[in-house]
Amino acid sequence: MAFRCALIGLAGRPNVGKSTLLSKLTQAKPAIANYEFTTRRLNLGYAKIGHYKIQFIDTPGTLARFEKMNEIEKQAHLALKYLADLIVLVIDPTGKLQEQRRLLDQLKSLDKEMISYLSKTDIAKREAIETAAKGINLPQKNKEELLEHIRTLL
């Protein structure tokens, strides 16, 4: 039986929950801490949905400063640009929403399908969650909806 494979890029600013999402979607055990720049390399995780293999790339936090990218930000950018079939923009409703929007605008230039995932909803205030959801203007998914959306791409 043949397997199809999809590559999903997890993108977002530092400390928004990309590695936490990777650990929820796969069996990967990335370093997770409550401070910025914990992820210092591309982390990979794998999931199987039926006869489909899904590879997730957890990218280090990106600061939406294309002209000043460091080496790991460049790797993340290239992985999203050339490898990802779908980009999941991880949004922290407790974080700097304007800077997260700026990153969204930068990622749109990659011309990839994108959806958003609101992280930290367990600690965010309802108003912050609603503001983030409206301000990002991308389809939002929870974990189960995200996996179902990925399944529809395969």
Side-chain angles (χ1 to χ4, degrees):
M1 190 171 291
F3 282 89
R4 288 189 59 198
C5 187
L7 197 141
I8 312 299
L10 306 178
R13 289 193 41 82
N15 200 36
V16 296
K18 298 174 299 296
S19 296
T20 299
L21 179 58
L22 179 72
S23 71
K24 289 180 179 181
L25 296 171
T26 71
Q27 294 182 357
K29 304 288 184 223
I32 298 173
N34 192 19
Y35 55 86
E36 295 183 343
F37 304 110
T38 305
T39 303
R40 296 171 189 238
R41 61 183 177 88
L42 300 177
N43 290 318
L44 303 177
Y46 302 88
K48 187 176 168 192
I49 301 174
H51 296 293
Y52 301 102
K53 285 185 176 181
I54 312 298
Q55 181 178 29
F56 293 89
I57 298 179
D58 167 25
T59 61
T62 305
L63 298 175
R65 53 181 194 160
F66 187 79
E67 65 286 345
K68 296 180 182 177
M69 285 183 175
N70 61 37
E71 288 304 311
I72 191 63
E73 286 177 299
K74 289 176 185 175
Q75 285 180 9
H77 176 80
L78 292 172
L80 294 172
K81 182 174 182 174
Y82 294 109
L83 300 176
D85 298 306
L86 170 72
I87 297 173
V88 177
L89 179 60
V90 181
I91 301 295
D92 175 4
T94 68
K96 301 172 183 174
L97 193 56
Q98 184 175 1
E99 293 178 15
Q100 293 179 81
R101 279 191 204 118
R102 192 169 35 241
L103 177 58
L104 168 63
D105 291 340
Q106 177 183 325
L107 291 172
K108 283 182 178 178
S109 71
L110 300 178
D111 198 30
K112 298 277 185 167
E113 181 175 354
M114 273 196 301
I115 58 175
S116 65
Y117 174 86
L118 293 177
S119 67
K120 303 184 184 183
T121 56
D122 56 330
I123 62 170
K125 293 182 180 177
R126 178 181 216 96
E127 302 82 38
I129 293 169
E130 291 171 359
T131 300
K134 290 177 187 172
I136 295 303
N137 197 27
L138 280 176
Q140 285 103 38
K141 307 289 182 188
N142 62 33
K143 177 186 163 188
E144 290 74 26
E145 292 170 332
L146 177 59
L147 289 171
E148 182 58 33
H149 184 82
I150 292 167
R151 186 185 339 254
T152 65
L153 295 175
L154 299 172

